[in-house]
Amino acid sequence: MDTQLVIRAQRGDKGAYGLIATEIAVRFLAVARRILRDIDIAEDATQQALLAIWQHLPQLRDPARFEAWSYRLLVRACYAEGRAERQWTPPFRVVPPIKERASDDDLSSVVDRDELERGFRRLSIDHRTVVVLHHYLDLPLDRVADIVGIPVGTAHSRLHHAMRGLRAALDADSRPPVREEVAQ
Amino acid sequence: MTAERDMTRVVRSWLRTDEHESAARVLDNVLAALDTTPQRRPPILPAWRISERMNRYVKIVVAAAAVLILAVFVYNQLPGRGSIGGPGSSPSPSPTRTLAPETFPQGALTIGRHGMDIAGKRLTFDVPIEGWTADAPYFLGYGSIGPEGFAAIWWTSDAPVGMFSDPCAQTEAPEVGHNRAELAAAVVGIPGLEEVVAPTDVTVGGKPATTVAVRMPDPLPCPKDQFYLWHATSADEGRFATDAGFIIYTWIIDVDGTLVWVDWETSAEPGSQPVAQIQALMDSIQFE
């Protein structure tokens, strides 16, 4: 992120902040959606985060730390929106272009995706956040811990727990059905 | 260790699928809200205290500077004030929805008769109890959608013209005739949907109509906002699933050759109180 742009936005330059928001909005929405597993809630969280960044930007002491600081506000917004009671929003928008699918080498089947989705949804938002920041944004765990506001050891622990849960979800699906023993 | 690496690879791959978020709507809202969202400046805390021995002249200068800083701060909070360094460039506006802003109710609806323009046709309907809300130009609902609440999409510009043959891949199905019977049959023909109410001919406001209800798969085979069902002209506006297992009750009404289309959605089953409320509203419709 252009530090001069951040400084201008800190001084109240709405045009500068518009450029910043335009640059980060898609990435923020992608992160929020992966944490929250719901596009409507993710859009609300992203919107809340972008407005919170604008509001609190003058309080950011070091503009060079904008990225980590802004992710912290996004994670807070995800937590807040994830716990809020939801109102229905219309399922209606411009149809996106045909998407690219993961190759079979990367992800073996639709079943895997379904099981991963179910397993991921069963994780707490705390665990999902660590997985997304580490495995989607490729942030090292010390930076993840800084953004979430937890000790590095806790970040390691949450990641381990989350991955174990996801593995269990996949294993449960691949396990053959148990045959019932019939009493003689 | 190998298994761990495999798991990491699978999760990373899964997280990177379906990267098609459009932040246009979010950006529109954020940029529009900036004018009414003041920045919060850090409090001005003195890093030092004015010494008791400081002379009177210095105290006056410091007080004047404080007043000046406060004045600049207040000035910058005024609506429409830009940056100290001059105006920056504004991002170009993002594309927005193309539905025409037809006459449509807005906000909490009072008990009584209300009207809306749908596909160029004027209709009125009864709101029997409090709790109904509307959000122009297409939303009408009661409570939170679920087992007790419901909501509707009114296709205010024009009725859908086609379905998706692969909802997750957003592949368009071959076109069918633009009439009640063929469109209703196409709705129940969308792969993965369960027919809850078969296409049935009814009348709405004295006009011939066809109603049909379908249940979304549970679980959905892809994220709900990527499970597309039907679309308007050229597939540029599509309707996707609200949630796994929800039921969509659709009415397609032929108003003197123009199709009026409404989708009600709830998790309530046919015969339940919420569905009876939907039916009561549909029964109250009159065309002008």
Side-chain angles (χ1 to χ4, degrees):
Chain A
M1 179 57 63
D2 182 347
T3 306
Q4 288 306 313
L5 211 53
V6 174
I7 293 170
R8 280 171 53 198
Q10 281 188 302
R11 292 172 178 167
D13 185 335
K14 295 188 182 83
Y17 187 66
L19 293 174
I20 293 172
T22 303
E23 185 176 327
I24 65 177
V26 172
R27 192 166 68 250
F28 270 36
L29 181 59
V31 171
R33 180 173 166 177
R34 277 151 185 80
I35 292 173
L36 296 164
R37 313 311 301 170
D38 185 297
I39 188 62
D40 299 325
I41 306 176
E43 285 189 344
D44 287 349
T46 303
Q47 186 170 318
Q48 292 307 317
L50 290 175
L51 285 174
I53 291 168
W54 164 253
Q55 281 186 304
H56 297 284
L57 202 49
Q59 297 165 17
L60 173 63
R61 290 179 186 173
D62 181 2
R65 288 197 31 88
F66 174 81
E67 188 177 9
W69 175 79
S70 60
Y71 274 128
R72 192 173 302 139
L73 294 190
L74 175 65
V75 167
R76 280 185 202 160
C78 287
Y79 278 36
E81 289 296 325
R83 289 167 184 146
E85 195 170 323
R86 307 304 308 167
Q87 292 293 318
W88 188 65
T89 52
F92 195 76
R93 66 163 63 93
V94 172
V95 181
I98 301 295
K99 61 193 178 192
E100 295 170 6
R101 293 200 169 278
S103 71
D104 288 347
D105 288 343
D106 290 336
L107 203 53
S108 59
S109 68
V110 172
V111 175
D112 282 350
R113 277 196 289 270
D114 290 348
E115 293 308 318
L116 277 170
E117 181 70 42
R118 270 196 284 269
F120 202 72
R121 282 174 184 272
R122 280 198 289 267
L123 299 176
S124 73
I125 192 168
D126 294 329
H127 292 91
R128 295 199 301 257
T129 300
V130 172
V131 172
V132 171
L133 294 180
H134 182 61
H135 283 315
Y136 180 67
L137 285 183
D138 287 328
L139 296 177
L141 279 173
D142 58 340
R143 286 191 64 196
V144 171
D146 180 40
I147 288 170
V148 180
I150 54 176
V152 178
T154 305
H156 275 281
S157 167
R158 285 184 185 176
L159 182 66
H160 176 73
H161 175 88
M163 296 301 281
R164 197 174 55 185
L166 291 173
R167 167 173 294 287
L170 285 181
D171 288 348
D173 182 66
S174 60
R175 199 175 300 140
V178 176
R179 294 173 59 188
E180 289 184 18
E181 295 290 334
V182 179
Q184 298 295 318
Chain B
M1 185 57 76
T2 304
E4 262 180 43
R5 275 202 299 271
D6 285 347
M7 190 63 201
T8 297
R9 188 173 61 83
V10 166
V11 169
R12 282 173 171 260
S13 172
W14 173 69
L15 285 171
R16 282 165 175 74
T17 55
D18 309 329
E19 293 184 280
H20 301 90
E21 289 86 358
S22 166
R25 187 159 54 177
V26 172
L27 266 176
D28 283 347
N29 292 340
V30 168
L31 298 178
L34 288 187
D35 282 337
T36 54
T37 309
Q39 287 188 312
R40 293 178 190 166
R41 305 277 161 192
I44 303 168
L45 297 172
W48 41 265
R49 290 180 175 278
I50 298 174
S51 164
E52 291 300 320
R53 290 174 292 180
M54 191 178 289
N55 67 42
R56 191 173 182 179
Y57 174 75
V58 172
K59 286 182 181 177
I60 290 171
V61 169
V62 168
V67 169
L68 184 63
I69 289 169
L70 183 62
V72 169
F73 172 73
V74 170
Y75 182 70
N76 273 332
Q77 301 304 304
L78 292 176
R81 294 311 308 161
S83 69
I84 294 171
S89 60
S90 296
S92 43
S94 305
T96 55
R97 303 183 67 255
T98 54
L99 281 180
E102 305 278 4
T103 304
F104 201 92
Q106 181 65 40
L109 300 186
T110 55
I111 295 173
R113 201 95 184 137
H114 293 267
M116 59 173 75
D117 290 342
I118 307 295
K121 301 294 179 182
R122 180 75 181 167
L123 65 86
T124 59
F125 60 94
D126 269 336
V127 169
I129 55 174
E130 289 183 350
W132 286 80
T133 57
D135 189 7
Y138 48 77
F139 171 82
L140 189 67
Y142 179 85
S144 296
I145 188 169
E148 295 175 359
F150 44 84
I153 296 287
W154 295 82
W155 290 71
T156 42
S157 286
D158 52 359
V161 296
M163 313 296 141
F164 288 94
S165 58
D166 183 344
C168 287
Q170 291 108 45
T171 307
E172 288 179 53
E175 282 195 15
V176 297
H178 196 61
N179 58 69
R180 293 181 290 124
E182 289 188 60
L183 287 168
V187 166
V188 295
I190 296 173
L193 304 191
E194 176 197 343
E195 180 183 289
V196 177
V197 175
T200 308
D201 287 341
V202 295
T203 58
V204 174
K207 307 293 183 186
T210 301
T211 184
V212 63
V214 286
R215 192 192 315 271
M216 300 302 107
D218 188 6
L220 289 162
C222 57
K224 63 184 186 182
D225 60 308
Q226 292 172 23
F227 193 81
Y228 275 83
L229 303 167
W230 38 87
H231 60 83
T233 309
S234 305
D236 60 351
E237 296 221 308
R239 189 232 206 279
F240 51 82
T242 298
D243 225 331
F246 275 32
I247 302 173
I248 296 179
Y249 298 82
T250 294
W251 271 263
I252 308 168
I253 311 162
D254 188 337
V255 185
D256 308 325
T258 299
L259 294 185
V260 168
W261 183 304
V262 56
D263 300 327
W264 290 94
E265 189 156 355
T266 175
S267 62
E269 299 288 337
S272 62
Q273 178 61 21
V275 176
Q277 280 200 66
I278 293 171
Q279 184 66 56
L281 186 139
M282 295 303 297
D283 289 343
S284 75
I285 286 177
Q286 293 294 323
F287 290 93
E288 295 180 349

